[in-house]
Amino acid sequence: MPPLLRYALFQLPEIAAAAVLVWALWRWAGLPGWAAMALLAAWVAKDAALYPFLRGAYEPVPAGAAALIGRRGIARRRLAPRGTVAVGVELWRAEIAAGAAPVEAGAAVRVVAVRGLTLIVAVDDDGLG
């Protein structure tokens, strides 16, 4: 679900409560209709203005194997085609991507896929490890 839709759906109960409050003020407290509408519009404008700051909280966070794809690491053992890589502080079993040349120990790699508990890696062209 897109972050904007998640944010909008999360704001619906708050907007409904604000609408009920504004309606009650208009109905029983004598608030002019234009002022009631302005209050409700200001409430919705507040939510719209806050969205850019809160967008990150509504974006999905990759979990499990999907979180590893794209991460960089260092080959700890030669990969020909299997070996060990360090991604962050963790050591992982790894294989080189199909058709790739063997990777020497110490070379920078990037995770391109995950199969079970084995990372599929390719040489990292940036070399930042």
Side-chain angles (χ1 to χ4, degrees):
M1 179 180 313
L4 180 59
L5 181 58
R6 290 179 72 184
Y7 180 75
L9 291 174
F10 188 72
Q11 298 307 315
L12 281 179
E14 173 190 337
I15 292 172
V20 168
L21 178 64
V22 166
W23 177 81
L25 289 172
W26 168 75
R27 179 82 170 146
W28 293 302
L31 185 69
W34 66 267
M37 294 305 289
L39 277 174
L40 191 56
W43 195 268
V44 172
K46 179 257 321 171
D47 287 339
L50 288 177
Y51 173 70
F53 301 105
L54 299 173
R55 179 182 179 158
Y58 292 91
E59 291 179 347
V61 177
L68 292 170
I69 296 174
R71 301 253 332 251
R72 294 178 173 150
I74 301 290
R76 292 294 181 212
R77 291 192 190 151
R78 186 172 193 263
L79 299 167
R82 291 176 198 87
T84 307
V85 297
V87 177
V89 297
E90 299 173 334
L91 288 177
W92 288 87
R93 205 172 348 172
E95 291 181 17
I96 55 174
V103 177
E104 297 301 322
V109 295
R110 182 179 297 271
V111 179
V112 295
V114 178
R115 185 173 53 238
L117 294 176
T118 302
L119 305 181
I120 310 302
V121 298
V123 173
D124 187 11
D125 295 330
D126 294 339
L128 300 175

